[in-house]
Amino acid sequence: MPDLSVAIVAGLHADARRATVARLLHDVPGSVVLHHDLATAAAGTVVRTIRDATGILDAGEAPLVNDCACCALREDLVPELRRLAAAGQVRLAIVELWDSVEPKAMAEVVVSGGLTVTGVITAVDPALLLPCLGNGDDLADAGLAAAATDRRTVADTFARQLEYAPTLAILDSEEADDEDWELLEQLHPTARQVHIRQGDLASSHRDEYVDLAGSAPSVRGELPSPTPSEHGGSAGPARDERGDSVGSAEGACGDSADSARPVPGTSADLARPARGDLVGPVELVSGDLVGPARPERGDLADLARPERGAPADLALPARGHSPGSIQGKRGDLASSAPPPRSELVSAALAGFDVEAAAAAQHPACALLPVEADAYGVSTFVWHRCRPFHPERLYAALEDLTCAAARSRGRFWLADKPDALLHWDAAGGALCVEGVGPWLASLPDAAWESVPPVRRAAAALDWHPEHGDRCQHLVFTSPGLDRDGLERLLDHCLLTDTEYAAGRAAWERLPPAFDTLLEI
């Protein structure tokens, strides 16, 4: 089967995502876009379209799997990509995910199917960053659920989409201010930022998506027809890190919407909340933590933000010049010379390591952002070794969750000294989950089975008494009350007297988190 490069483009901000896809189609001759519209799931199917820069090439439907639209996407995606690869006519397959589908799950599905993911890009409109992070609505209430059992919120889904991708395609927006740009940088400081200009390309063939109320569009090109076996069980569901089937309804996949309903990520339906009204009542659910590494500010010279509205890498060729050739004086450059790659194309073809990306998001070894304070946006890092008192922490959960637009990290409780716990909050909803044991609680022989990156992360936090057990929580938000947060968090730790009582006494403390952790 010929090599096929697969680039995944995700994001709840539909206009930014479509502009990014259109830019890639323009810049990479022979590329196509594969898109599954999960908004048709109510009718029992998922609509699949394949298009190039000229329009729709192929359209079809994939039946739901166990009444789950996201599962249908997983079952249908790999066979379609294999078909494109076998045809040998496509240079780059761009997988444009539906609004709430998360790129992590889809990248793992594609790689498990024997295909090569060369880039993962999340498209962002910076003016809509804070409204999305402050939106604690369930995806189901917003018409964005990828399965009947999808319990995610708009905020936590957007946060994971943003933090997983190594590249952010940023739609230049006149509505975005310095606070928006700073918030974006502090949330994902290691991301490669590529600016997408609003303009003709940003229309991104909006009229060429399937009309959900009617039939599929006419086919304007030909691709090999899939055989029944290609959509059978041969490319069964991949397994996720916890051993659960990636094709299960729970966990959802994170896609982008093209239906007639309002699209989140437009200024019409995501009005910026007033400061102080950022988050609503706290909701405690299970979830996944995302925590990218953040270098020191002095190491970010190569990520300097270009002038707004002037992304140099997106300059179009002069009218009358072929984008596929370089014209020099007196024809001294051959017309067949390839054009220089745009920065977006370079990001889409840069290569992507699924295992490394998963490790970078795992709460045990994620290198979380460092302290920052600029343009009214702050990142506060709280690091302690002493364990939390379970009752005092539980009583403070709502105040801590609502204190920041985004917070994440790892922590431990005095009554559960062996459990590594994961903190993940956005939009007023807090996800607390046990993610296995601390390495200090494992016998020496078990360390051989632990990935090197996990051992390295443990070494950085190693304490002579507690090992890798630690409190490492990071809060990022405009208008952050650092001093108040520090006082509240310190109040939740064991007092000197409680700490001196020893581990046997700690384990007799009231188990306030048992219900939340489903113990």
Side-chain angles (χ1 to χ4, degrees):
M1 184 168 61
D3 290 338
L4 174 69
S5 295
V6 179
I8 295 174
V9 180
L12 277 168
H13 299 168
D15 287 343
R17 188 187 66 246
R18 291 169 181 155
T20 301
V21 169
R23 183 77 250 182
L24 284 171
L25 283 177
H26 174 272
D27 290 351
V28 184
S31 59
V32 300
V33 178
L34 179 62
H35 178 72
H36 288 78
D37 187 356
L38 273 61
T40 60
T45 62
V46 170
V47 175
R48 174 207 329 115
T49 55
I50 299 175
R51 62 185 178 87
D52 63 9
T54 67
I56 297 290
L57 299 175
D58 185 46
E61 295 182 344
L64 296 190
V65 176
N66 299 323
D67 292 324
C68 171
C70 189
C71 305
L73 165 58
R74 288 168 167 144
E75 292 289 323
D76 189 71
L77 180 60
V78 169
E80 285 299 318
L81 289 172
R82 285 177 172 166
R83 186 165 64 95
L84 290 172
Q89 300 175 348
V90 176
R91 176 184 174 191
L92 173 66
I94 305 161
V95 177
E96 182 190 356
L97 299 179
W98 190 74
D99 288 350
S100 66
V101 177
E102 296 180 24
K104 180 178 183 293
M106 292 301 103
E108 291 171 354
V109 166
V110 172
V111 170
S112 71
L115 295 153
T116 302
V117 174
T118 57
V120 174
I121 300 167
T122 293
V124 180
D125 182 341
L128 301 176
L129 186 63
L130 191 56
C132 272
L133 283 178
N135 190 341
D137 292 345
D138 290 340
L139 290 176
D141 293 337
L144 294 169
T149 56
D150 195 343
R151 296 183 297 169
R152 297 173 299 154
T153 68
V154 172
D156 65 52
T157 299
F158 175 70
R160 283 191 293 271
Q161 289 178 338
L162 179 77
E163 294 158 356
Y164 179 76
T167 299
L168 299 180
I170 304 173
L171 188 67
D172 285 328
S173 170
E174 294 181 356
E175 297 179 4
D177 57 21
D178 289 334
E179 180 183 278
D180 297 320
W181 290 105
E182 184 62 25
L183 180 59
L184 181 61
E185 184 170 323
Q186 290 189 28
L187 287 169
H188 195 348
T190 62
R192 180 179 188 174
Q193 295 188 4
V194 180
H195 289 244
I196 306 297
R197 180 187 296 124
Q198 296 193 45
D200 294 338
L201 288 174
S203 64
S204 69
H205 304 279
R206 185 187 301 267
D207 58 327
E208 290 171 352
Y209 283 89
V210 171
D211 181 358
L212 303 184
S215 58
S218 60
V219 176
R220 295 175 54 181
E222 293 185 1
L223 289 171
S225 299
T227 61
S229 61
E230 284 183 290
H231 292 272
S234 59
R239 310 293 294 183
D240 70 6
E241 293 177 69
R242 289 173 282 185
D244 298 326
S245 169
V246 179
S248 64
E250 180 119 11
C253 27
D255 306 5
S256 36
D258 302 303
S259 65
R261 59 175 168 69
V263 179
T266 62
S267 50
D269 65 31
L270 283 179
R272 182 192 302 274
R275 208 175 275 177
D277 296 333
L278 182 62
V279 287
V282 63
E283 178 187 357
L284 304 179
V285 295
S286 328
D288 298 321
L289 177 67
V290 186
R294 178 184 177 109
E296 295 294 334
R297 282 188 170 266
D299 297 334
L300 289 176
D302 59 323
L303 296 181
R305 184 183 304 157
E307 289 297 322
R308 235 174 264 167
D313 61 297
L314 298 186
L316 298 179
R319 190 170 296 177
H321 290 193
S322 167
S325 65
I326 300 177
Q327 181 174 345
K329 292 182 180 180
R330 300 184 182 179
D332 54 350
L333 291 180
S335 61
S336 60
R341 279 184 180 176
S342 71
E343 188 178 357
L344 183 61
V345 173
S346 295
L349 300 175
F352 185 77
D353 187 330
V354 169
E355 292 184 1
Q361 306 308 311
H362 194 281
C365 47
L367 296 177
L368 300 169
V370 300
E371 291 270 351
D373 188 4
Y375 296 105
V377 180
S378 298
T379 293
F380 169 65
V381 179
W382 185 77
H383 199 290
R384 300 287 189 273
C385 294
R386 186 173 293 197
F388 278 123
H389 187 288
E391 282 190 318
R392 286 200 292 274
L393 178 61
Y394 193 88
L397 287 181
E398 183 168 351
D399 288 339
L400 291 171
T401 301
C402 296
R406 180 78 171 119
S407 58
R408 40 190 156 153
R410 48 189 177 266
F411 69 101
W412 67 300
L413 298 170
D415 64 322
K416 294 176 176 54
D418 293 338
L420 193 166
L421 300 175
H422 156 213
W423 177 288
D424 183 22
L430 170 65
C431 305
V432 171
E433 183 180 35
V435 289
W438 295 98
L439 292 193
S441 68
L442 298 178
D444 292 345
W447 280 54
E448 294 300 321
S449 62
V450 176
V453 65
R454 172 78 188 276
R455 297 199 298 269
L460 291 174
D461 284 330
W462 201 261
H463 184 275
E465 181 180 355
H466 305 307
D468 59 329
R469 299 178 183 92
C470 69
Q471 319 291 7
H472 190 171
L473 300 178
V474 177
F475 299 80
T476 300
S477 186
L480 194 67
D481 181 4
R482 291 165 171 262
D483 293 339
L485 264 174
E486 186 171 19
R487 286 193 299 269
L488 180 56
L489 288 164
D490 286 344
H491 170 73
C492 295
L493 296 172
L494 294 184
T495 64
D496 290 345
T497 301
E498 292 165 339
Y499 184 77
R503 184 168 296 186
W506 303 351
E507 295 182 4
R508 292 195 296 271
L509 292 171
F513 278 76
D514 281 7
T515 302
L516 181 59
L517 296 172
E518 299 179 354
I519 296 176

